[in-house]
Amino acid sequence: MSEIVCNHISKIWNPDTAEPNLAIDDISFSVEPGEFLVVIGPSGCGKSTLLSMIAGLESATSGTIQFRGQPIDGPSPHRSMIFQQASLFPWLSVIENVSFGLSLQGVGKRDRHNQAKQYLQQVGLLKSAHRYPHQLSGGMQQRACIARALCLGTDVLLMDEPFAALDVQTRHQMQKFLLEIWQGTGKTVVFVTHHIDEAVYLADRVLILTANPGRMLEIVTVDMPRPRDMMSKGFEYHRNLFVDHLRSEVVRAFEEQELAEMLDTRIK
Amino acid sequence: MVKSHSSGTNGVRVDRSVVPATIKSKSRARRHWWKQAAISAMWWFLSLTLFISLWELVTALGWVNTLILPPPHEFIAEIGNQEQFLSPRIGVERVGGNFVLLTAIVATLKRVMAGLVLGFIAALGVGGLACYFELFGKLTLPVITLLAPIAPIAWIPFAIMAFGIGDGAAIFVVFVGIFFLLTLATVNAVNNVDQLYINTARVLGANRRQVMFRVVLPAVIPDLFFILRINFFAAWMAVLAAEMVGVNAGLGAIVMVGRQMFNAKLMFLGMAIIGVVGYLLDVGFRQMQQRVLWWKGSSHI
Ligand SMILES: Nc1ncnc2c1ncn2[C@@H]1O[C@H](COP(=O)(O)OP(=O)(O)O)[C@@H](O)[C@H]1O
Ligand SMILES: [Mg+2]
């Protein structure tokens, strides 16, 4: 059974106002268990909207989304979202943040700290357990967010441009780190980005969205062994493939400038 | 100046190999803090000295009527006479010795604090309920919005009519002085809590009540504390005003007794104490605010 199935979903923001905004238009796809799916598209094309519908934070205007055969009717710890801005609660220490979900379930302090430590270890933050978020770098904060999702035993990681705010060096480290976590845990990942190289580096499959409204342009399978070498022929081939696909969009919806931006983060 | 600074840096550089970084930066920070405190104390001292000397000079030269504007050394000396003037007038029991002033300070502080605590808790509660239960909010907020701009001082006549002259009236004045404004501020702060935090909590499995108590509440407390501190002065003034127009005892009453007895020294003594105590309270509030904001790191305050 597929992990996630989106069936003809559309999303209209502010439907009852003078300016309804069609953000997602009739998208259908499925995500298999343990798959790494990357969603790519220019900014404003509805990537975050799509992800928050899968998370259950927003409902689709039409169409259905299913998680393991059940319709999604609200957020669930099975599907954890990692946002672009680190979303640690600034008033809690790192370990309290990581075990926040457990404490919502009423798990006692000692128990939940013990569990949290295990995941802090996994993301390399054990030493920072009792620090506060403002004392952490951007990359460390995002790792803590990942630990927080893992600590709840999430099955799906929904990641909304989680590394976009990081500098190039850190971003690449985080990409490698995420692949390790993914390979080690077998979680399903839906990862949103607008960086072509990031998509090619990470994905099993890439879902390409068009802009205004967000429609599905194509799903491309990236069939390359990992770890992937950004200088390799195969990488170059896929990069060009995506540029071609997206260029057809340029005339219609977004500028050359944007395409350049989507490439500028080529990882050295 | 520059030279001594650079040699200081050199000294630190020598230390670097032996002293662990954290200890070193802590001691440096402490030294920096002391230096800042000393400089600021110096300016305080200079400013006060200048002010008092001018005042003393003007009175010594006989340019003003010292019956109306007594020089500082005279009215501060009045501390010794407070028992004689005050205790029968402001209804303070004789506690033996010269504690009438202290009793007055305590009376005023007690009123302000009681009013602030009650007002803060009530505003947080009503504001929270208004956000949580939409109907309740829609029914109450318009009235609260209309009542908020009424200055606390304007409530004094009603307070004295309703509660008589005493603690009740003064506490009520402080309470209304902050309650309405703080309730509106609470609603505003709750509506402005970053959606990111709320979504994060929901994804982690929080229900509505948990979002309210575990996320919204801690997120708004620092804002509200800041607003409380701003409104504290209005409340403080309202209590003093209430004490002047009828509520017995307290610092405001001292000033009023001074006027009634045409004793300007007593009046100014009362005013000086009001100034000092008000300032100390604000310092206390700022300290507390830093505690409440521990997670922001001191640089963000
Ligand atoms: N909460 C919201 N309310 C109204 N409109 C929204 C909301 N979130 C996004 N939109 C609109 O939906 C469209 C897609 O936005 P978004 O999903 O954030 O795109 P992306 O993540 O690809 O940059 C945009 O036109 C945006 O203005
Ligand atoms: Mg987005």
Side-chain angles (χ1 to χ4, degrees), chain A residues 249-267:
Chain A
E249 277 299 291
V250 167
V251 196
R252 211 174 67 81
F254 61 106
E255 313 276 327
E256 275 290 346
Q257 163 83 37
E258 175 122 32
L259 193 59
E261 212 173 273
M262 294 169 88
L263 270 169
D264 77 342
T265 54
R266 186 166 304 181
I267 304 144

Side-chain angles (χ1 to χ4, degrees), chain B residues 20-72:
Chain B
T22 49
I23 296 176
K24 191 182 61 205
S25 72
K26 252 184 209 155
S27 81
R28 191 197 285 165
R30 203 174 304 136
R31 217 180 309 144
H32 181 73
W33 186 89
W34 277 112
K35 199 172 154 196
Q36 290 296 322
I39 290 174
S40 138
M42 181 192 75
W43 284 114
W44 269 80
F45 179 76
L46 282 180
S47 168
L48 267 177
T49 313
L50 187 67
F51 179 67
I52 291 172
S53 326
L54 276 178
W55 190 342
E56 291 280 357
L57 186 71
V58 165
T59 44
L61 290 173
W63 289 356
V64 292
N65 182 350
T66 51
L67 275 180
I68 295 173
L69 191 66

Side-chain angles (χ1 to χ4, degrees), chain B residues 244 253-264 266-268:
Chain B
M244 286 186 198
I254 293 185
V255 177
M256 226 45 207
V257 170
R259 188 195 68 86
Q260 283 158 3
M261 296 168 60
F262 207 75
N263 182 345
L266 190 58
M267 222 167 68
F268 274 99

Side-chain angles (χ1 to χ4, degrees), chain A residues 127-200:
Chain A
K127 276 193 191 145
S128 304
H130 295 286
R131 292 163 85 186
Y132 280 86
H134 74 270
Q135 299 170 306
L136 266 51
S137 71
M140 289 160 94
Q141 294 190 26
Q142 285 302 44
R143 276 186 279 153
C145 288
I146 293 172
R148 180 168 64 182
L150 296 177
C151 190
L152 265 188
T154 190
D155 300 304
V156 182
L157 283 171
L158 303 168
M159 310 186 80
D160 190 359
E161 310 199 35
F163 308 145
L166 307 176
D167 62 81
V168 179
Q169 217 60 40
T170 316
R171 188 187 305 157
H172 189 43
Q173 280 166 9
M174 291 296 288
Q175 288 161 350
K176 283 199 262 192
F177 162 77
L178 177 62
L179 284 182
E180 276 166 29
I181 295 274
W182 170 68
Q183 283 162 338
T185 57
K187 307 277 179 199
T188 308
V189 179
V190 181
F191 187 105
V192 160
T193 184
H194 68 276
H195 293 149
I196 291 174
D197 279 2
E198 189 165 63
V200 180

